[in-house]
Amino acid sequence: MEIQKISTDEVKQAAHYIQQGELVAFPTETVYGLGASALNPQAVKKVYQVKGRPSDNPLIVHVTSFEQVKEYIQESHPLAEVLVQTFWPGPLTIILPIKPNTFDTVVTGGLATVAFRMPDQALTLELIRQAGVPLVGPSANLSGHPSPTTAEHVIHDFEHSIKGVLDGGPTKIGVESTVLDLSDPNKPPMILRPGAVTKEMLEQACHTPVAVDSHLLRADEAPKAPGMKYKHYAPVVPVQMVHEQEWEQVASYLAHHPIRAGILAGPTAAEVVRGEAAAVYMYADDSVQAATQGLFSGLRALDETKAGLDCLYVATYPEDGLGVAYMNRLKKAANQMYFTNNETEV
Ligand code: AMP
Ligand code: MG
């Protein structure tokens, strides 16, 4: 089987594949998702198989409205309505307790809750409507690889293992949705994964403090979300993070060592070091939005480069606003490693 690139006027075909229990990747505003009918356990099993995803890591169910969510949930959370009105369609996933016998355990990972999201992508909303079922949609990458932000990334990972990919062009945001735990109506919302909907935005919408899962604050804490213990987003080439004021040091380090370096940074930082680098992937501009949009794409591009790189040096951004989500993904890709100029330490 060879993957089919499905154009925007062929949504009906893609919906037909989903109804047949096949896998079709779809664009969203965050990253591409690997779609299958959330009501077809065999199809969902295939999602885990082709991704190589551990089976205790539950999936997000993609819907076209909060009305659709209500068919499946046991009880709502007092803040669910206002959050959905403010942020849907958009990069916010909410976790709610479900009625028994709604979703198979392959979807829930055996939990009594499900994560729901309405993506902000007209093509994909049309796909879900035409398929007539909610879709599971983990990121459409092999488990452990950086998430896909173009149809080409999906084809790279699943050329021979899925039916098709609906091509919506490069994704706008570039990192996965904010995951918010609303499973206990008596507890405040808790962020399990940072995304483009930030803590500040959530607090402003619901007029109450929003908690942050402690494993996001402390590296040694056991994660609450089952999937969060797994390594993510890692390119094959080792990654080191570089603070804004350290690019001169990186340049001089590279000038004195036979290292084939890849650089992933905004134009201003890249300019400082490009003369010493074997390959450079520049974010579209110096903003954290451009960095977030280009992070996974850049990691993939540098990993694939024929330059045979020894190390990737990637720009850090301040950890506020969208920078929280950017740094969360980058730290995982870098295995927490920062650039240090060893010679100055001796
Ligand atoms: P992905 O599908 O790779 O974008 O990841 C979805 C994330 O949401 C993973 O980190 C999951 O562990 C998390 N998740 C999905 N469903 C639940 C749930 N019911 N409870 C807690 N976390 C969940
Ligand atoms: Mg993923």
Side-chain angles (χ1 to χ4, degrees), residues 31 51 53 57 138-141 144-145 147-148 176 193 232-233:
V31 301
K51 272 185 68 90
R53 182 177 173 107
N57 189 2
S139 50
N141 55 277
H145 284 202
S147 299
E176 305 84 347
R193 175 174 77 185
H232 259 97
Y233 320 117

Side-chain angles (χ1 to χ4, degrees), residues 92-172:
L92 177 67
T93 295
I94 58 172
I95 295 171
L96 291 167
I98 48 160
K99 288 181 201 154
N101 308 318
T102 43
F103 294 103
D104 193 276
T105 53
V106 286
V107 174
T108 63
L111 301 173
T113 54
V114 159
F116 294 97
R117 178 164 111 82
M118 178 181 178
D120 187 14
Q121 227 293 354
L123 258 186
T124 292
L125 293 176
E126 190 52 33
L127 171 68
I128 304 171
R129 269 183 217 110
Q130 289 200 22
V133 285
L135 302 187
V136 296
S139 50
N141 55 277
L142 291 170
S143 206
H145 284 202
S147 299
T149 60
T150 64
E152 286 68 32
H153 295 157
V154 177
I155 293 168
H156 176 273
D157 283 16
F158 297 118
E159 197 171 359
H160 301 293
S161 56
I162 70 170
K163 194 75 182 172
V165 51
L166 196 53
D167 188 3
T171 60
K172 275 187 305 211

Side-chain angles (χ1 to χ4, degrees), residues 11-77:
V11 176
K12 200 170 164 193
Q13 180 66 57
H16 181 70
Y17 289 146
I18 295 285
Q19 288 166 342
Q20 303 286 304
E22 302 282 359
L23 310 188
V24 177
F26 55 78
T28 78
E29 76 283 33
T30 59
V31 301
Y32 275 70
L34 184 52
S37 165
L39 305 181
N40 180 338
Q42 291 311 320
V44 178
K45 264 188 207 138
K46 266 194 256 173
V47 169
Y48 282 92
Q49 275 163 12
V50 301
K51 272 185 68 90
R53 182 177 173 107
S55 61
D56 63 347
N57 189 2
L59 302 172
I60 295 173
V61 171
H62 292 71
V63 295
T64 55
S65 67
F66 193 51
E67 290 309 306
Q68 194 178 9
V69 171
K70 287 178 184 162
E71 292 174 33
Y72 302 108
I73 58 175
Q74 184 78 269
E75 62 184 324
S76 194
H77 186 282

